[in-house]
Amino acid sequence: MSSEQRERQRLDISRHAVRLFAAQGVAATSGEDIARAAGVSERTLWRHFRTKESCVEPLLTQVIDAFRATLRTWPPGVELTEHLRDAYRPVLDSSSDADIEAVHAVVRLTRHEPALRAVYLVLGERAEDSFAEALAERAGLPSDGFEIRSQAAAMSAVFKVATDHLAHDTADTGLTPGVLHRHHEQLAGALSLVTRGLSEKQQG
């Protein structure tokens, strides 16, 4: 199996796991249930994932990857807030509408499912490292320096809160243009404080 096929299978398992978790709760869902729904053996399931809760990782990672991609394409001389309004979408462009809703369903579940929340928080810590790399590259500073690490940590916190609010706001209406606009404005406004000075450093 190629790496691309492996990732597709992981994502498919993730979709089925989220559907089952949302329908019947994490405690009532077994690895066997997820494997059966995804049409794979339990052995295959456990080869891909450490625990049943970690099955949500591929979907949640799409949110982080989308924001990281936006940071990577942040043009010189442009404020991040402006770039976010123009370029950021809270999931990858390749994501289907069903995947978008599944991602938000997972985030909503983390409020009441401690095991899923633990997975969510671990992914957030990993995201912080990638945010630091992007900020360091832009500012011409070491990625392990205090200033960059502090900004990356603050950015990760803002991103999580904004994502939590977006998931809550889409519970009844889905990702409407109005909801997306509000998400952009909330995220851009908060991040303008976090990234203050980065443009000046790059231009200096």
Side-chain angles (χ1 to χ4, degrees):
M1 179 180 291
S2 68
S3 59
E4 184 177 345
Q5 290 173 320
R6 181 176 182 275
E7 289 308 309
R8 280 203 302 266
Q9 188 172 66
R10 279 172 51 84
L11 183 57
D12 187 57
I13 292 171
S14 188
R15 291 172 179 137
H16 288 287
V18 170
R19 179 178 58 79
L20 290 172
F21 290 159
Q24 59 194 38
V26 175
T29 302
S30 67
E32 181 182 2
D33 293 333
I34 297 170
R36 185 186 306 113
V40 299
S41 67
E42 280 194 79
R43 181 178 180 181
T44 296
L45 176 75
W46 300 129
R47 187 166 64 242
H48 286 305
F49 300 102
R50 305 176 307 281
T51 65
K52 64 181 181 181
E53 293 84 5
S54 66
C55 289
V56 304
E57 287 183 5
L59 278 170
L60 285 177
T61 299
Q62 289 196 358
V63 181
I64 296 169
D65 287 348
F67 186 72
R68 179 169 50 222
T70 304
L71 283 182
R72 292 291 186 188
T73 59
W74 181 8
V78 175
E79 293 294 332
L80 179 58
T81 52
E82 180 182 344
H83 179 53
L84 283 172
R85 292 184 179 108
D86 291 340
Y88 174 61
R89 192 164 180 260
V91 285
L92 294 172
D93 288 340
S94 59
S95 300
S96 66
D97 289 344
D99 279 355
I100 293 171
E101 173 48 35
V103 167
H104 294 158
V106 174
V107 175
R108 289 192 291 270
L109 283 170
T110 62
R111 293 189 174 190
H112 312 291
E113 297 283 1
L116 292 185
R117 188 166 188 82
V119 173
Y120 188 31
L121 293 175
V122 168
L123 288 177
E125 290 181 1
R126 295 178 192 168
E128 185 179 314
D129 291 335
S130 65
F131 295 168
E133 291 172 3
L135 294 175
E137 182 178 346
R138 183 177 183 82
L141 296 172
S143 62
D144 59 352
F146 177 79
E147 181 178 0
I148 291 296
R149 294 302 308 187
S150 297
Q151 287 179 325
M155 177 176 283
S156 181
V158 167
F159 176 67
K160 179 187 175 302
V161 171
T163 301
D164 288 349
H165 277 267
L166 179 63
H168 179 268
D169 290 345
T170 58
D172 297 323
T173 64
L175 189 62
T176 65
V179 169
L180 182 58
H181 175 74
R182 183 164 62 250
H183 176 62
H184 277 170
E185 293 304 307
Q186 290 173 338
L187 188 58
L191 288 179
S192 67
L193 301 176
V194 174
T195 59
R196 182 175 295 169
L198 283 179
S199 296
E200 289 81 357
K201 285 181 181 297
Q202 187 191 45
Q203 294 168 2

